[in-house]
Amino acid sequence: MNAPSERIQNMSTSATLAMAAKARELRNEGKDIIGLSLGEPDFNIPDFIKEAAKQAVDDNYRAYTPVDGYADLKQAISNKFQRDNHLTYTTHQIVVSTGAKQSLFNVAMVVLNPGDEVILPAPYWVSYSDIVKLAEGIPVEVPTSIATDFKMTPEQLEAAITPKTKMLWFSSPCNPSGSVYSKEELEGLAEVLKKYPEIIVVSDEIYEHINFKGGHNSIAGIDGMYDRTVTVNGVSKAFAMTGWRIGYIGAPAWIAKGCTKLQGQVTSGANAIAQRSVIAALEAPASKIQYMIDEFHQRRDLVLQLLGDIAGFKVNVPEGAFYVFPDISSFFGKELRGVTINNASDFALYLLEHASVATVTGEAFGSPNCIRISYAASEPELKEAIARIKAVV
Ligand code: PMP
Ligand code: GLU
């Protein structure tokens, strides 16, 4: 009777948001929890973006916006793609949405028919598999491990392709592993895809700027890929604008048109004030946000150094984003303080209960040997959190 639809019942709750909510709840009960579960920059939005938003309020941007975004914002996005990624997208190929999460959802709904398979190199970002399932697609996980720096090889891609494969989805820099695909690695994947022209690629580049190696590569820029790639991006991470909810795509025109049609029935378009402020964000030179990237870089080095001291943690060296994704499978089957650790979820729960540190189980990302630690937290918090973890393992 009072039950939600099967669709909702079959959906998992976002593990990242659930862990963040749990940490918040424990904190409200008075517990001293250090939250390293949520991937959310801990900086304020840069002043020049705030000023643009204030100006937009005063300029009475109050009405419904065009469903696919203000024309001048789409032009700014087009310029950004050209400037940063050497990708030429006309404004007809761009759709602005309520966060990159909605952009991804739109694309799944527009491209997938029931039963279509979507290749997800694992670890993948939590929401991919549930978004695919909501669109009645079938997620096909391709497991990778720390041995290949959590990247899918061309051989693995080829082996996962079936006549039902409709899409390949991945993020680079990757949430949760922080791995960054080089141009050569993307060319290797593109070489395989050449043989399967019906497969659409979703390239989630939301961590583009948080790259410590420099040199972001978009798969849409590789020979033969442009007409079949959707490039997803947004302002949540680079500009610390998570709550303002703006994401966007550059895509083949038929996909962009479908996304706009869908959005027209579901949201009517993204928030007007936030859209105006994003023009300022995207027109700014990269130097304006470099201080945040430098800070993430320093924290990454600190976290790697501290985690490297903990026996049983096998740690990758992430080149981007703000996560480390240690393999903690050496604890499986062991007992810690009377608690048996059978899997990564047990381990994450153990850290929450015994060290008061919130992380996220790798199971949510399709990698059951790992946990995700977000280092979008201050240095003192990171030091304290890792000292606590060390003390209980
Ligand atoms: N893709 C990845 C890989 C992410 O980590 C996130 C962060 N939540 C998103 C998409 C969605 O970002 P947004 O806040 O723009 O919805
Ligand atoms: N991308 C972030 C994360 O992975 C934000 C949470 C979310 O949107 O699920 O933690």
Side-chain angles (χ1 to χ4, degrees), residues 38-54:
L38 199 59
E40 165 156 75
D42 55 328
F43 296 100
N44 288 325
I45 295 177
D47 285 343
F48 71 96
I49 301 175
K50 290 188 200 165
E51 289 309 321
K54 289 178 200 166

Side-chain angles (χ1 to χ4, degrees), residues 16 113 130-131 153-154 156 237 306 349:
T16 47
N113 282 310
D130 274 286
I131 289 175
T153 63
Q156 285 182 301
K237 312 295 167 172
L306 297 174
L349 201 61

Side-chain angles (χ1 to χ4, degrees), residues 346-361:
D346 289 349
F347 193 77
L349 201 61
Y350 174 78
L351 293 185
L352 183 64
E353 285 173 357
H354 291 260
S356 297
V357 176
T359 58
V360 186
T361 171

Side-chain angles (χ1 to χ4, degrees), residues 14 16-17 37-39 101 125-127 175 207 237 323 372:
S14 163
T16 47
L17 299 183
S37 58
L38 199 59
K101 200 180 250 181
W125 181 46
V126 260
S127 297
N175 177 1
Y207 294 97
K237 312 295 167 172
Y323 310 102
R372 189 188 78 173

Side-chain angles (χ1 to χ4, degrees), residues 94-171:
I94 289 167
V95 182
V96 179
S97 300
T98 303
K101 200 180 250 181
Q102 195 211 346
S103 302
L104 291 162
F105 176 76
N106 286 348
V107 173
M109 292 295 281
V110 166
V111 174
L112 297 176
N113 282 310
D116 284 344
E117 292 179 358
V118 179
I119 295 178
L120 304 179
Y124 50 81
W125 181 46
V126 260
S127 297
Y128 290 176
S129 57
D130 274 286
I131 289 175
V132 167
K133 286 190 227 162
L134 272 179
E136 297 184 66
I138 301 173
V140 176
E141 296 182 15
V142 176
T144 69
S145 72
I146 199 163
T148 57
D149 190 23
F150 296 110
K151 289 185 237 179
M152 180 174 66
T153 63
E155 294 73 28
Q156 285 182 301
L157 170 61
E158 180 123 44
I161 293 173
T162 76
K164 287 193 161 176
T165 307
K166 191 62 195 258
M167 285 177 135
L168 160 65
W169 277 36
F170 72 107
S171 59

